[in-house]
Amino acid sequence: MDAIDRKILAVLQEDGRLTITELAARVGLSVSPCHRRLRELERGGTIRGYRAIVDPAALGLTFQALVFVTMRQEDRDTLLGFEAAVARVPEVVQAQRLFGDPDYLLRVITADLTAYQELEDDVLSALPGVQRLNSTLVMKHVVNDRPLPT
């Protein structure tokens, strides 16, 4: 990956809806080489897809929590079962396995505190292998959806 590829990535992270002509102009290439580089970045998996960034408040999703999960046991089957189950919970918008304690960090979004409480009581606490949940409420986003450094 060279500096031009990195510039293509930086520009597309800011505006993924650019036409190939607009993208080429912004990175200083003619259309054909720019298109070739873009396709290679897509084929190689560097660009994994394109999507809209939706304002959660527009959907009535104004409550967010970070949930630290400690597992009862950490054998392979338990962890894989938990990961498969948590991947099916639509309110979990991000899940990461951590080194040390706790074992996982979940970012959860719901309409309000009541909806979150019901989700934690009825769904999250019942996920396979969960020993303890510890929630921290998000007060405000300081850095959100920042493009990756290129």
Side-chain angles (χ1 to χ4, degrees), residues 7 11-12 14-15 18 20-29:
K7 186 159 188 177
V11 169
L12 284 176
E14 291 295 329
D15 186 354
L18 291 175
I20 193 66
T21 303
E22 293 167 328
L23 178 62
R26 290 207 192 166
V27 300
L29 289 176

Side-chain angles (χ1 to χ4, degrees), residues 20-132:
I20 193 66
T21 303
E22 293 167 328
L23 178 62
R26 290 207 192 166
V27 300
L29 289 176
S30 61
V31 172
S32 188
C34 184
H35 191 256
R36 193 169 38 255
R37 284 175 178 264
L38 178 61
R39 292 293 167 244
E40 186 55 38
L41 290 167
E42 291 170 343
R43 273 195 294 271
T46 301
I47 297 175
R48 298 187 316 202
Y50 301 89
R51 62 183 173 163
I53 299 170
V54 178
D55 178 8
L59 299 176
L61 300 170
T62 58
F63 186 87
Q64 289 192 39
L66 301 177
V67 183
F68 298 94
V69 181
T70 301
M71 301 300 288
R72 188 173 302 114
Q73 56 195 47
E74 296 184 44
D75 63 276
R76 185 181 197 299
D77 289 342
T78 300
L79 296 179
L80 292 175
F82 172 81
E83 290 174 10
V86 81
R88 292 189 298 269
V89 180
E91 295 86 355
V92 176
V93 294
Q94 194 172 46
Q96 298 167 318
R97 186 170 173 199
L98 309 173
F99 280 106
D101 188 38
D103 299 301
Y104 290 91
L105 171 61
L106 311 178
R107 190 171 132 230
V108 175
I109 188 164
T110 63
D112 54 29
L113 178 60
T114 301
Y116 174 74
Q117 179 257 311
E118 290 171 359
L119 179 75
E120 183 173 310
D121 291 350
D122 300 340
V123 178
L124 299 180
S125 64
L127 291 171
V130 170
Q131 176 182 334
R132 183 176 65 248

